[in-house]
Amino acid sequence: YDLTFTPQKSVSVLWALADKETAARILEIHHRAIADTLGWLEREAAFTRTDSGRVQLDVGGLIVAQFDHWDTRSGDPNLHTHCAVSNKVRRLDGTWGSLDGASIFRHAVAASERYNAAMISMLTDELGVAFTPRETSVNAQPVMEIAGITDDLIATFSSRRTDIEARRDVLIADWRAKHGRSPSKETEYKLLQQ
């Protein structure tokens, strides 16, 4: 399983533009937020199954390899860490089994929110950073971004997102031409992922 932890874009922008000491502190806070979230996942979501999947058992933890990345495929600053989680876990009796992926999947949104909340809390408490809600799209929950980092600056460092959205728009237009109507929100999301 690849669990990817990515802070808000404004955090990546601050990290990229900051002096070395501040950038190192942001990276350290990012790593602590990941450790907190992985610990929570180990306690709340890491299980294995036995008896043809009917019995869920606790495990002693997760095996995780972490890989820091610094940018997007387009070269924009994008502090993020891939956490490769082993499918094998050790049961409390010492035997090994497969990780119950369904449980990890059910906890994914809560884990993401926990990581984001930890980042906001630690950056506020330790670096005095203030956050403000930013609207990203209609009917979407606002994203808490660093106050003072403008939407224009975020957009400047979001060329990959711009490229993806432009390609999505072409795919939606093609879909409309083929089907004679607009795609559902679910289909639009799949086209964005494509």
Side-chain angles (χ1 to χ4, degrees), residues 60-180:
L62 297 171
I63 300 169
V64 181
Q66 296 184 27
F67 303 93
D68 290 328
H69 289 181
W70 316 113
D71 55 10
T72 67
R73 292 180 190 133
S74 300
D76 295 323
N78 185 35
L79 173 63
H80 64 287
T81 300
H82 292 271
C83 295
V85 179
S86 173
N87 186 44
K88 292 299 177 190
V89 288
R90 191 170 184 187
R91 297 181 185 108
L92 298 181
D93 67 3
T95 62
W96 290 83
S98 295
L99 180 63
D100 180 1
S103 179
I104 297 293
F105 182 76
R106 278 192 308 273
H107 287 78
V109 172
S112 176
E113 291 299 321
R114 184 180 184 94
Y115 165 79
N116 289 335
M119 286 294 294
I120 291 168
S121 177
M122 287 188 270
L123 286 167
T124 300
D125 293 347
E126 297 174 31
L127 296 180
V129 173
F131 286 82
T132 186
R134 299 257 173 92
E135 301 294 328
T136 56
S137 62
V138 177
N139 297 326
Q141 183 174 345
V143 173
M144 297 301 291
E145 296 283 6
I146 295 176
I149 295 184
T150 65
D151 292 339
D152 287 342
L153 186 56
I154 290 172
T156 298
F157 291 115
S158 301
S159 64
R160 180 164 159 71
R161 178 78 180 176
T162 302
D163 293 345
I164 289 169
E165 289 172 349
R167 179 67 182 138
R168 177 210 52 206
D169 293 346
V170 168
L171 292 172
I172 289 172
D174 290 348
W175 198 95
R176 282 187 187 125
K178 181 178 180 181
H179 299 281

Side-chain angles (χ1 to χ4, degrees), residues 22-43:
T22 303
R25 290 193 64 199
I26 293 168
L27 179 61
E28 185 261 331
I29 288 168
H30 167 70
H31 286 153
R32 285 185 9 238
I34 292 169
D36 171 76
T37 304
L38 289 174
W40 176 80
L41 281 170
E42 285 179 323
R43 292 185 305 277

